[in-house]
Amino acid sequence: MRILIMGGTRFVGLHFAEAALAAGHHVTVLHRGRSGAHLLPDATHLIADRDADLSALRGRRWDATVDVSAYYPRQVRDLAAALDPGAAGHYLLVSSMAVYDTPAAPAFTEDSPLRPADGPEPDAVTGETYGVLKVQCERAAREAFGPKTLLVRPTYVIGPHDYTHRFDYWVRRLARGGEVLAPGRPDAPLQVVDARDLAAWMLTLLERNASGALHAATPPPFTFGDLLDAVASAVAPAGTTVTWVAEDFLRTAGVPERALPLWPGSPELRATNTADPAAALASGLRLRPVADTARDVPAFEPMPETLTPEREAELLAAWHRR
């Protein structure tokens, strides 16, 4: 296939491009040239800003288009307008589990109600607007590219090249050993997917001409405790312990959720982390063990907004004194 990737030089897009090239497909990546321009030497690179000028797409045709960088519905509409009729081929949008309204029950499926999104397009991506914008992107995609549109809704994506370093924080912290502070309860639902597994599966979906919406997530029940246990089994030295500290205690101490990445700190987050991926698994999604992902995560500098060792020690000491 001739495949266009909107993005393609970071994280999920990069893993997808590598998988497609390895499978013998012809890959074009459209990106701004700001990161990863030296990567993917076997791909065709189109340097453009999708928010400014997409004229580089004119006169070209692809069998499939994979959109990993659409955060606003106008970006989807502008892409469709910039392409010649039918030039996108089979369109795949990487969406998010954040599209769902708070699910009514665990193990919810792809027909669960979405967030209300009939208002104006938010002008910035924030924690509050992200889900609404993704709903609007999905709607714009179906309107622009038709009923064959493929919508992939991943949960937290982990693995090499993750520029958010959310999962990486726990790999680094558990590898350091000692007493590790974990927020909340070990039985809090949490779902992840390795970016490499996500990419390989998306390619399979395109090769099979799939359509519709599909989840990409660890099958429930899977919890925050399961995740930390898996990471610890891969990287933690002997004697490492995990101490679960109550959410109310942490909030009273002024600890923001971003300081302990992946903390499922709200009922809404916990509910959304119980998605049923049965349809994805039946369509070819294969998930590697979380411990294997942990072994493949490279070392990185500590995230500036996460707990320092000193602050973690203070909190643990206060927790034990309570």
Side-chain angles (χ1 to χ4, degrees):
M1 291 186 294
R2 296 163 299 166
I3 303 175
L4 169 65
I5 307 174
M6 297 299 292
T9 60
R10 298 180 77 194
F11 201 26
V12 174
L14 177 59
H15 286 298
F16 179 85
E18 290 175 338
L21 288 167
H25 299 294
H26 302 281
V27 172
T28 299
V29 288
L30 185 143
H31 58 97
R32 294 174 297 179
R34 298 179 183 176
S35 63
H38 62 289
L39 302 173
L40 307 170
D42 294 327
T44 299
H45 290 250
L46 300 179
I47 307 302
D49 185 341
R50 70 179 302 165
D51 290 319
D53 182 10
L54 289 174
S55 59
L57 298 176
R58 290 291 184 190
R60 301 171 184 262
R61 301 186 70 82
W62 292 273
D63 301 303
T65 295
V66 175
D67 199 339
V68 298
S69 61
Y71 293 93
Y72 296 95
R74 55 181 159 77
Q75 293 176 318
V76 178
R77 292 190 293 267
D78 290 347
L79 172 61
L83 290 163
D84 295 333
H90 193 173
Y91 180 81
L92 184 159
L93 174 69
V94 178
S95 185
S96 169
M97 213 71 79
V99 298
Y100 291 106
D101 208 355
T102 303
F108 63 94
T109 58
E110 287 83 354
D111 58 359
S112 185
L114 304 182
R115 292 175 181 269
D118 290 333
E121 176 182 318
D123 57 8
V125 179
T126 68
E128 290 71 35
T129 65
Y130 178 70
V132 170
L133 283 166
K134 282 297 188 181
V135 174
Q136 294 178 340
C137 283
E138 289 191 3
R139 185 181 301 161
R142 285 193 168 114
E143 291 172 353
F145 297 104
K148 291 292 291 181
T149 294
L150 184 55
L151 305 173
V152 171
R153 295 171 179 163
T155 180
Y156 293 112
V157 186
I158 62 177
H161 306 305
D162 178 9
Y163 52 86
T164 73
H165 298 303
R166 292 174 298 196
F167 175 74
D168 304 7
Y169 168 83
W170 294 105
V171 177
R172 179 178 58 83
R173 178 61 195 91
L174 284 158
R176 197 171 78 232
E179 185 182 14
V180 179
L181 188 156
R185 297 168 54 94
D187 60 357
L190 184 69
Q191 294 176 295
V192 296
V193 60
D194 190 296
R196 295 164 294 182
D197 300 333
L198 177 63
W201 171 62
M202 292 194 311
L203 183 59
T204 297
L205 293 175
L206 290 175
E207 291 171 339
R208 295 178 180 175
N209 201 32
S211 60
L214 290 164
H215 294 159
T218 319
F222 191 80
T223 67
F224 201 2
D226 292 331
L227 181 124
L228 296 192
D229 286 346
V231 174
S233 72
V235 304
T240 301
T241 60
V242 175
T243 297
W244 293 88
V245 177
E247 293 178 347
D248 289 347
F249 176 90
L250 293 171
R251 291 197 173 94
T252 299
V255 179
E257 290 183 19
R258 64 180 179 274
L260 292 161
L262 300 181
W263 174 2
S266 70
E268 180 182 20
L269 274 177
R270 290 191 285 272
T272 305
N273 273 275
T274 62
D276 182 2
L281 295 172
S283 67
L285 176 62
R286 298 293 177 262
L287 300 170
R288 73 192 68 203
V290 170
D292 289 354
T293 303
R295 294 186 187 97
D296 292 340
V297 169
F300 72 100
E301 293 299 317
M303 298 163 63
E305 295 184 328
T306 53
L307 289 186
T308 64
E310 296 76 17
R311 180 58 172 152
E312 182 186 31
E314 291 174 359
L315 290 166
L316 286 169
W319 173 251
H320 291 309
R321 288 195 305 267
R322 75 196 189 286

